[in-house]
């Protein structure tokens, strides 16, 4: 019932999660997947290149979209799926966790042996020495 509160909460929660994710990726994997210091629309309003005011505003607008436009559609779809929604949720969670475990195990193995991970080249230009 309060679009301003939805906007601010969405922006704050997503920005905190983005910062935590950036720190986690840098500390655990030694990579930096994004750097807002190099983006033209965020050069003036970033914090450590990990989060930026303009991106936070986008998160706030995305929260408004989800709450006021998408939510009813998703709730209707879930209602039509009935009890099968739990099976879909569990399957997606299992796939996500399997991907996380596979990626982390591969990265840790590569870190020990000094090898490059196949498909990890997308990060090659963004690696940090931490």
């Amino acid at each position: 019932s309060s679009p301003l509160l939805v906007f601010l909460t969405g922006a704050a929660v997503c920005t905190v999660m983005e910062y935590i994710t950036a720190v986690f990726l840098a500390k655990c994997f030694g990579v930096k997947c994004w750097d807002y210091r190099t983006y033209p629309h965020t050069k003036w309003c970033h914090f450590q290149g990990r989060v930026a005011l303009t991106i936070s505003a986008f998160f706030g607008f995305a929260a408004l979209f989800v709450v006021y436009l998408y939510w009813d559609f998703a709730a209707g779809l879930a209602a039509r799926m009935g009890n099968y929604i739990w099976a879909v949720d569990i399957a997606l969670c299992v796939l996500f966790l399997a991907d996380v475990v596979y990626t982390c195990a591969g990265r840790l193995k590569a870190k020990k042996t000094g090898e490059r991970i196949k498909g990890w080249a997308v990060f090659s230009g963004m690696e940090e020495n931490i």
Side-chain angles (χ1 to χ4, degrees):
S1 64
S2 174
L4 180 60
L5 186 59
V6 170
F7 178 87
L8 293 175
T9 303
V13 169
C14 291
T15 300
V16 168
M17 288 303 301
E18 181 183 29
Y19 185 80
I20 290 170
T21 301
V23 171
F24 173 79
L25 290 171
K27 298 292 182 194
C28 294
F29 295 111
V31 297
K32 185 177 241 181
C33 297
W34 62 89
D35 186 352
Y36 291 128
R37 291 178 286 203
T38 62
Y39 290 34
H41 60 283
T42 59
K43 283 185 179 182
W44 59 275
C45 62
H46 66 84
F47 178 70
Q48 298 177 348
R50 293 183 166 127
V51 294
L53 183 61
T54 52
I55 304 303
S56 296
F58 170 77
F59 289 145
F61 287 117
L64 288 171
F65 171 79
V66 168
V67 169
Y68 292 107
L69 297 175
Y70 178 74
W71 188 261
D72 290 335
F73 168 76
L77 182 62
R80 285 192 299 278
M81 291 181 74
N83 290 334
Y84 295 110
I85 193 76
W86 293 106
V88 172
D89 286 346
I90 291 170
L92 291 174
C93 286
V94 167
L95 286 172
F96 174 74
L97 289 175
D99 180 56
V100 168
V101 169
Y102 179 76
T103 301
C104 290
R107 180 63 177 162
L108 291 173
K109 179 182 174 189
K111 197 172 189 178
K112 287 180 184 177
T113 62
E115 296 175 21
R116 304 270 312 152
I117 295 177
K118 184 178 178 185
W120 202 264
V122 70
F123 299 116
S124 64
M126 304 177 100
E127 290 184 3
E128 294 185 39
N129 294 322
I130 298 188

